[in-house]
């Protein structure tokens, strides 16, 4: 089965304009923060959007893409590979242990490692696939309890907010750092919806600093989405995960 990677001229123009706007927002936030523009990488979150949109954004220079659902990402990654379009894939959605084996076949980076039970599963999956996965440990920024300890909370735009509580984050990071096939690269979080995003991302920056005391190379901070990327950049994010601002209104997930 071949998936068409063609977009209409209107869609190509729309994506180009959106990308220019998002890039300008990131650049302005970097300027305001006194940071180099190149210090923030854009991850285009393409969940629920077709592989053709990924290809169109790749043509415009985007190289990193985020997905939330294993099955959908597997199909899209295969389509881009078949077309010879080189992109890097990030798993940003809530991760189920029984999906680890599949995720390890397409993802280069996993942002959503939020509990110890995932670590041996991801490690075994990476080894089995003959790959090394970059892993960020996901922190809960909720005050007064971890979103990850119960059913996942929801964040802006229906994003699922898991995340280890601050006291659990260190042990989780240590486990990732010592697991075969995994490389600990940093921390990730989604801001709680009813909170000041800047204050929440400052808490993440503090968690990142604590982590780097033990793991100096785990420098990545994945924070900020369409609605709060400026606050994330001001708080030190190195990866912003942007969906709707780049791609428009998200179609409902089918299946
Ligand atoms: C969907 C999603 C995003 C992108 O959100 P937008 O509001 O569309 O920019 C970022 N991070 C995670 C974890 C997501 O699930």
């Amino acid at each position: 089965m071949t998936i068409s990677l063609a977009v209409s001229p209107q869609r190509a123009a729309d994506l180009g304009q959106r990308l220019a706007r998002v890039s300008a927002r990131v650049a302005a936030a970097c300027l305001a923060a006194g940071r180099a523009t190149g210090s923030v990488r854009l991850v285009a979150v393409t969940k629920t959007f077709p592989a053709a949109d990924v290809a169109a954004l790749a043509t415009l220079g985007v190289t990193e893409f985020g997905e939330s659902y294993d099955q959908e990402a597997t199909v899209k990654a295969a389509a881009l590979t078949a077309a010879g379009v080189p992109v890097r894939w990030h798993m940003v959605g809530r991760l189920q242990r029984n999906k680890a084996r599949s995720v390890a076949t397409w993802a280069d980076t996993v942002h959503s490692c939020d509990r110890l039970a995932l670590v041996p599963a991801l490690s075994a999956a990476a080894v089995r696939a003959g790959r090394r996965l970059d892993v960020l440990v996901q922190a809960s920024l909720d005050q007064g309890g971890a979103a990850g300890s119960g059913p996942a909370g929801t964040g802006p735009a229906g994003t699922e907010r898991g995340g280890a509580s601050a006291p659990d984050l260190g042990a989780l990071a240590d486990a990732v750092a010592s697991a075969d096939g995994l490389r600990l690269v940093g921390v990730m979080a989604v801001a709680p919806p009813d909170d000041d995003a800047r204050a929440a991302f400052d808490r993440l920056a503090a968690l990142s600093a604590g982590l780097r005391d033990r793991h100096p190379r785990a420098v990545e901070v994945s924070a900020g989405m369409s609605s709060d990327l400026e606050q994330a950049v001001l708080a030190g994010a190195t990866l912003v995960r942007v969906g709707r601002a780049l791609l428009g209104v998200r179609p409902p997930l089918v299946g």
Side-chain angles (χ1 to χ4, degrees), residues 31-68:
L31 190 65
R35 300 179 55 193
T37 306
S39 65
V40 179
R41 278 149 62 205
L42 174 65
V43 177
V45 179
T46 46
K47 64 183 179 208
T48 76
F49 289 96
D53 283 345
V54 177
L57 284 169
T59 302
L60 293 164
V62 178
T63 57
E64 311 206 60
F65 293 88
E67 290 284 336
S68 289

Side-chain angles (χ1 to χ4, degrees), residues 45 47 68 92-93 156-157 159-160 188 190 224-227 241-245 250:
V45 179
K47 64 183 179 208
S68 289
V92 303
T159 46
E160 295 170 272
M188 176 274 210
V190 175
M225 321 198 315
S226 293
S227 55
R241 310 177 308 267
V242 180
R244 291 165 301 151
R250 200 136 52 219

